[in-house]
Amino acid sequence: MESRLKVLGHPVHPMLVMFPVALLATAVLFDVVDTVGGPDFLGEVAYWNITVGLIGGLLAAAAGSFDLLAIPTGTRAKRVGLLHAGANVAVILLFAAVWAVRLNADSRAAGGALVAIEVVALAILGISAWLGGELVDRLGVGVDSDAGLDAPSSLRPPAATQRIGEV
């Protein structure tokens, strides 16, 4: 299933995803370093990374929705796509909550509770990134017109390996 939203023949969603993932992950790293005694400016930089990461995440979500809506209902790809989208919505909401708390604060530093929320959001983002990889690499969504939309999970061993192990 090829992407419905392309630029110069390439799907847009995968092009946009790397920016919010990198910005949000870096924000968490900067906040952790700031919290354990790093330079004071890291909290401010982390805040702006979250700001731009949220904007990029919303753009990536909009592009991804074109592909998600085109996946046929009843396929494994649709189930994985919905999990991927739901996880990303949770990540955006968690980081948006952290951003909102820091918006008018005297200091843009995160502190313990906000860093904990960021770490949870980052863990969810890691799971979602894996699901996105499963969609593209295993199921061919967005990149392959002959995609196997019901291919088994990449975590399952190939059928030949299963037979050898069962003997």
Side-chain angles (χ1 to χ4, degrees):
M1 187 199 104
E2 288 193 45
S3 178
R4 298 271 171 104
L5 186 60
K6 294 182 175 188
V7 171
L8 300 174
H10 294 283
V12 172
H13 181 65
M15 288 190 264
L16 296 177
V17 167
M18 69 184 111
F19 295 107
V21 170
L23 287 163
L24 296 174
T26 303
V28 175
L29 176 65
F30 286 173
D31 276 336
V32 168
V33 172
D34 180 51
T35 301
V36 298
D40 291 339
F41 72 89
L42 288 180
E44 182 80 21
V45 173
Y47 169 82
W48 288 107
N49 277 5
I50 292 171
T51 302
V52 178
L54 287 171
I55 294 166
L58 292 172
L59 292 172
S65 66
F66 281 89
D67 292 337
L68 178 61
L69 293 172
I71 299 172
T73 305
T75 61
R76 180 169 176 269
K78 188 67 154 194
R79 291 188 301 276
V80 172
L82 289 170
L83 279 172
H84 174 66
N88 285 334
V89 168
V91 168
I92 293 294
L93 290 175
L94 289 170
F95 274 107
V98 168
W99 179 85
V101 169
R102 294 167 82 168
L103 177 63
N104 293 316
D106 292 336
S107 166
R108 296 283 167 91
L114 294 179
V115 171
I117 293 169
E118 290 177 5
V119 168
V120 168
L122 191 61
I124 297 169
L125 183 58
I127 293 166
S128 181
W130 183 88
L131 290 168
E134 186 78 355
L135 284 166
V136 173
D137 292 336
R138 182 68 172 180
L139 299 167
V141 171
V143 296
D144 186 356
S145 60
D146 295 323
L149 299 177
D150 285 310
S153 171
S154 62
L155 296 177
R156 293 185 186 174
T161 307
Q162 286 177 334
R163 286 190 207 114
I164 292 170
E166 294 173 359
V167 175

